[in-house]
Amino acid sequence: MKLARLAGAAALGVTAMAGSAMAEGETVCLITKTDTNPFFVKMKEGATAKAEELGMTLKAFAGKVDGDHETQVQAIETCILDGAKGILLTASDTSSIVPAVNQARDAGVLVIALDTPLEPIDSADATFATDNFLAGLLIGQWAKATLGDAANDAKIATLDLAVSQPTVDVLRNQGFLQGFGVDLADPNVIGDEDDPRLVGSDVTAGNEEGGRRAMENLLAKDPTINVVHTINEPAAAGAYEALKAIGRENDVLIVSVDGGCPGVQNVADGVIGATSQQYPLLMASLGVEAVKKWADEGVKPENTPGKDFFDTGVALVTDKPAEGVESISVKEGMDLCWG
C-alpha cells in the first residue's frame, strides 16, 4: 500500500497569480475549481514550487465557487492568448469544458486534467489523478466491514458534489456503493440504484455549508440514517455538524475522500471514521514537470500501465482498521497529508 499511495513518484472574475519564477520562462497555467478549498490550495502550492524550481512562470486561476464553469472557460482562453505551453485543469463541468480544451490543444497547448477526468477522458492529453473509484471502493469496503452484519440493514445517505455529476463525483460515489455491497445499475450515473438501504443523495458543492444542508435534507427524509458517504472532507464536516445538532454525531458512520491534514485530524477526532487520502501536491508538481518536458522535448506523459490515466496513489486512513481492507494509521496519514 505504501507503493500505491506514492504511485506516481484578472478581469475575468478569476483569481490569477503569476509565479515567482523568472518571467522569461515557459508559462504553465493552473485552473482549479476554487481557490478556497484546501485541496486546491495545496495543489497550487505544488505547482508553484515546481514552476520555480524549473524556471517556469505559473499563472493560477480559479472559479468563484465549485461549479463555476464559465470562469474556467475564460481562463483557458486567457492561457491560449498568453502563449502558455500547458494547462493543468480541474474541471467543474467535465463534459462542457471539452470544446475549450480542444481549442487549447489545437493551439499546441498541452492540457493535463488533474484529479477530475474529462468526459471522455482522452479529451485531455493526459490525466494525473487519484484512482477515484478505488478511493470510493476502499471507504465502502471499510464501512461494510466495520458494521459487520449490521451492514445488511444500513440506512445510507450519499452527499455528492454537483447536479451535473462530474466524473470525480460519479467515480467516488459508485466506488463507495460497490465497496459497501450495493449492486450498481449504470456505473456512470449517481442515484439509479434500487437497493432498499439507500435513503437518497444530495449535492454539497464540496463545502461545509453544503454538507450540512444536504445532511439536514436527507435526515428530514429518514432520521434513521446511520451511514454517510461524502464527496470530500469539508462536506463531511458539515454533515457531522448537522448530526451533532440532533444528538446523533456518535451513532452515524461517516466516510470520505481527500486525506488533507484537517480531514485526517477529523479522523483522529472521530468526526470521520475513515478517509481515502489523495496527493494533490504530487499531482500538480508532476503536471508542471510534464509541461516542461513537452515544452523542451515535445514529449507527452504516459499513463500508468493498465490504466487510462497516470495514477498518483491513494491510501485509506483510519485508526480503526478493518479486516481485509488495507489501511494506514492516522499518524501515517498526518505525515503524508497532501504531499
Side-chain angles (χ1 to χ4, degrees):
M1 196 62 180
K2 304 225 167 151
L3 177 62
R5 71 174 182 266
L6 295 174
L12 296 176
V14 300
T15 61
M17 177 199 74
S20 58
M22 295 177 63
E24 62 265 33
E26 298 94 347
T27 295
V28 55
C29 289
L30 173 68
I31 304 173
T32 55
K33 298 175 186 178
T34 73
D35 61 359
T36 55
N37 186 317
F39 184 85
F40 300 122
V41 172
K42 183 59 68 172
M43 191 175 276
K44 187 173 177 179
E45 288 179 15
T48 300
K50 184 57 67 171
E52 290 177 351
E53 176 188 326
L54 297 178
M56 303 179 75
T57 295
L58 176 72
K59 294 187 177 180
F61 303 81
K64 304 177 189 73
V65 295
D66 203 317
D68 185 3
H69 165 71
E70 290 303 322
T71 292
Q72 291 195 317
V73 171
Q74 292 168 356
I76 290 173
E77 292 170 350
T78 297
C79 294
I80 296 170
L81 291 173
D82 284 351
K85 293 294 185 181
I87 295 172
L88 310 178
L89 171 68
T90 60
S92 288
D93 190 319
T94 49
S95 56
S96 296
I97 200 74
V98 168
V101 169
N102 288 340
Q103 183 182 359
R105 294 179 69 186
D106 288 345
V109 182
L110 182 76
V111 180
I112 298 176
L114 297 184
D115 177 58
T116 304
L118 302 186
E119 296 179 83
I121 193 169
D122 61 2
S123 299
D125 290 293
T127 300
F128 289 3
T130 305
D131 186 330
N132 282 292
F133 189 88
L134 177 59
L137 187 76
L138 287 169
I139 55 175
Q141 290 173 336
W142 180 86
K144 180 181 180 182
T146 298
L147 289 175
D149 291 342
N152 296 325
D153 300 311
K155 296 289 187 179
I156 305 168
T158 68
L159 274 57
D160 302 300
L161 183 59
V163 173
S164 62
Q165 298 192 10
T167 52
V168 65
D169 200 8
V170 175
L171 289 166
R172 294 181 188 180
N173 174 287
Q174 297 290 279
F176 163 76
L177 293 179
Q178 181 167 301
F180 199 84
V182 173
D183 290 333
L184 304 181
D186 183 343
N188 299 306
V189 176
I190 292 173
D192 61 350
E193 297 82 15
D194 59 5
D195 193 302
R197 295 174 293 177
L198 298 175
V199 172
S201 63
D202 203 347
V203 297
T204 66
N207 59 53
E208 186 168 340
E209 182 172 346
R212 179 190 54 76
R213 177 197 48 75
M215 190 74 256
E216 289 172 346
N217 291 344
L218 291 166
L219 285 168
K221 184 175 181 180
D222 187 339
T224 69
I225 289 168
N226 64 351
V227 177
V228 178
H229 156 73
T230 67
I231 180 67
N232 63 9
E233 291 157 359
Y240 179 84
E241 290 303 316
L243 291 162
K244 186 176 180 180
I246 61 170
R248 294 207 56 219
E249 71 274 21
N250 294 322
D251 58 10
V252 177
L253 192 63
I254 301 176
V255 292
S256 196
V257 177
D258 264 354
C261 298
V264 175
Q265 185 60 51
N266 274 346
V267 175
D269 294 341
V271 173
I272 301 170
T275 192
S276 285
Q277 187 169 66
Q278 307 184 87
Y279 304 99
L281 189 150
L282 178 64
M283 288 180 205
S285 61
L286 289 173
V288 173
E289 286 181 351
V291 172
K292 178 65 172 173
K293 191 174 183 68
W294 167 252
D296 291 349
E297 304 174 27
V299 175
K300 294 183 180 182
E302 297 182 359
N303 294 330
T304 297
K307 298 188 177 185
D308 56 1
F309 64 99
F310 186 93
D311 188 351
T312 54
V314 64
L316 182 74
V317 179
T318 185
D319 270 344
K320 299 177 180 178
E323 186 175 355
V325 186
E326 197 165 2
S327 63
I328 63 174
S329 68
V330 166
K331 182 182 183 305
E332 290 176 282
M334 289 299 291
D335 290 341
L336 290 166
C337 55
W338 282 358

